[in-house]
Amino acid sequence: MRPKHLSRPKIVAGNWKLNGDRAFVDDYLATFKRSLKQLKLKQGQNLSVLLIPPAIFLPLLSERVKQELNLQSQLSVQLAAQNVAAYASGAYTGEVSASMLNDFSCRWCLVGHSERRALFGESDQVVVEKIAQLLVVGIRPILCLGETLEQREQGQAETCVRDQLQAVLDAFDESALANLVLAYEPVWAIGTGKTASPEQAQAMHQFIRSVLKEKFPVLADSMPILYGGSVNAQNAKELFEQIDIDGALVGGASLKAEEFLEICARCLSQAE
Ligand code: PGA
C-alpha cells in the first residue's frame, strides 16, 4: 500500500492577485502551452494545476484553457477564484456570487487569504459564510490560514492558526468539509521572498493535521494542505519533500508561466 501522504491528491495553484491584462493572458497561455508538453503524468499520479486570475478574466480563461491547454495535455488545468460574495444575490454592489463563478467553470475558490483578512476586514465569521456559499454550488474552498510575524515572535503562531481553522471546523459537519483544501501561508512569508524553512512549514502542517484529527479523524489524513509564501522553482522541491505538504499556493512566481510549471514539475516528481 502507498503511504498515506503519497496517495493524497497534489495541488499547485497560481494566485495572480491583482495582476495581468489581456496581453498578459495571451503571453501567459502561449508560454504555458509550450512548456506544458514537458510535463508528463505517470499512471496513478493526481495533480491539479489551478490558475487563480482576477475574476474578470475567468470567462475568457475558462474557454481558452479548455481549447488550448486541456485538449492538448493529459494534465487538467482548472480555474479558481480569488474571492466570492458571502451572499447568494441581492443589493451587494461589486460582489460576485458562488453561482456566477460556477456558471463560468470555476471549480475552486480561495477563502480567507491573509490579504483579504488584513486589507478587507474578512473575519472568521465572513470566511464561514463564504465557504457556505461555495458548498451550495459545489465549488471547492481553499481555506488560507497563517500567522503574522508578530504572532510568531510572541509564540502565538499555533494559536492563531488553530483559531482560524476551528472557526470553520465548528461551523460544518464532516461530510460538508470533504472537499475542503487548506493552505498554510505565514503572513511574514507572503511576497517577502522569505519562505518558511521546510522544517517550519512541516511542523505547522503537522499541527494543522492534528487539529483536524481532534474533530474529524477521517478527514485529517485525506485533506490536502498546501504551503504558500514565496514559493519558487528553487525552494519548491524541499518543501514538497515534507510529508504533510501536499502542494503549493504560489503568488509572485505563478506570474511567470515557465517557472510556475517548473514548480508543478517538482510537485509531480515528489508524487512518484
Ligand atoms: P507569494 O504569494 O508566493 O508571492 O508569496 C503567495 C500568496 O499570497 O498566495
Side-chain angles (χ1 to χ4, degrees):
M1 210 171 84
R2 282 159 75 79
K4 286 207 175 82
H5 75 281
L6 287 179
S7 58
R8 274 195 295 271
K10 303 288 178 245
I11 301 166
V12 178
N15 177 10
W16 294 7
K17 308 192 181 187
L18 187 56
N19 293 295
D21 53 20
R22 254 180 195 280
F24 173 84
V25 171
D26 286 341
D27 283 354
Y28 196 89
L29 290 178
T31 312
F32 205 95
K33 206 157 115 185
R34 263 199 320 274
S35 314
L36 193 57
K37 296 197 181 103
Q38 296 148 22
L39 263 193
K40 299 251 184 297
L41 249 74
K42 300 206 180 101
Q43 186 101 31
Q45 283 188 327
N46 185 343
L47 172 70
S48 298
V49 175
L50 311 185
L51 298 181
I52 321 182
I56 197 160
F57 295 134
L58 286 169
L60 172 68
L61 274 167
S62 90
E63 278 312 306
R64 294 196 55 186
V65 161
K66 208 179 330 163
Q67 295 299 327
E68 296 173 36
L69 302 183
N70 288 343
L71 292 180
Q72 327 229 344
S73 153
Q74 8 152 229
L75 194 80
S76 150
V77 180
Q78 297 173 37
L79 294 178
Q82 296 176 14
N83 187 27
V84 65
Y87 315 96
S89 65
Y92 301 106
T93 302
E95 295 289 284
V96 174
S97 74
S99 69
M100 293 168 190
L101 296 176
N102 194 37
D103 271 352
F104 287 95
S105 313
C106 185
R107 309 291 346 122
W108 311 67
C109 183
L110 298 182
V111 188
H113 189 282
S114 65
E115 286 152 18
R116 301 247 18 124
R117 292 180 192 265
L119 304 172
F120 301 94
E122 205 160 289
S123 63
D124 286 335
Q125 182 53 34
V126 171
V127 165
V128 164
E129 285 160 16
K130 291 185 172 190
I131 291 177
Q133 291 296 323
L134 294 170
L135 295 179
V136 169
V137 296
I139 293 181
R140 295 189 68 174
I142 303 173
L143 169 64
C144 304
L145 313 165
E147 81 287 357
T148 61
L149 185 57
E150 201 185 356
Q151 286 168 319
R152 178 159 282 261
E153 285 173 351
Q154 289 172 355
Q156 295 295 313
E158 289 190 348
T159 310
C160 163
V161 168
R162 176 192 279 277
D163 288 349
Q164 291 171 343
L165 178 57
Q166 202 68 49
V168 171
L169 299 185
D170 288 345
F172 300 96
D173 62 22
E174 188 158 24
S175 63
L177 295 183
N179 282 327
L180 185 73
V181 172
L182 301 176
Y184 169 58
E185 297 205 302
V187 178
W188 47 271
I190 295 179
T192 57
K194 207 173 157 189
T195 336
S197 68
E199 296 73 26
Q200 279 173 320
Q202 166 56 26
M204 187 59 91
H205 281 229
Q206 193 174 14
F207 172 73
I208 291 170
R209 232 177 262 294
S210 74
V211 175
L212 278 172
K213 205 164 253 162
E214 288 165 15
K215 186 133 198 213
F216 299 133
V218 175
L219 283 187
D221 271 334
S222 60
M223 192 174 288
I225 308 178
L226 318 183
Y227 170 78
S230 297
V231 175
N232 58 37
Q234 281 72 50
N235 59 29
K237 179 173 180 292
E238 271 195 293
L239 287 162
F240 293 145
E241 277 166 4
Q242 307 306 309
I243 197 161
D244 285 298
I245 297 184
D246 305 307
L249 178 51
V250 188
S254 78
L255 293 171
K256 292 167 247 155
E258 257 169 352
E259 178 161 12
F260 182 57
L261 280 168
E262 265 180 56
I263 297 170
C264 296
R266 303 270 187 283
C267 191
L268 266 183
S269 62
Q270 196 50 41
E272 273 165 13

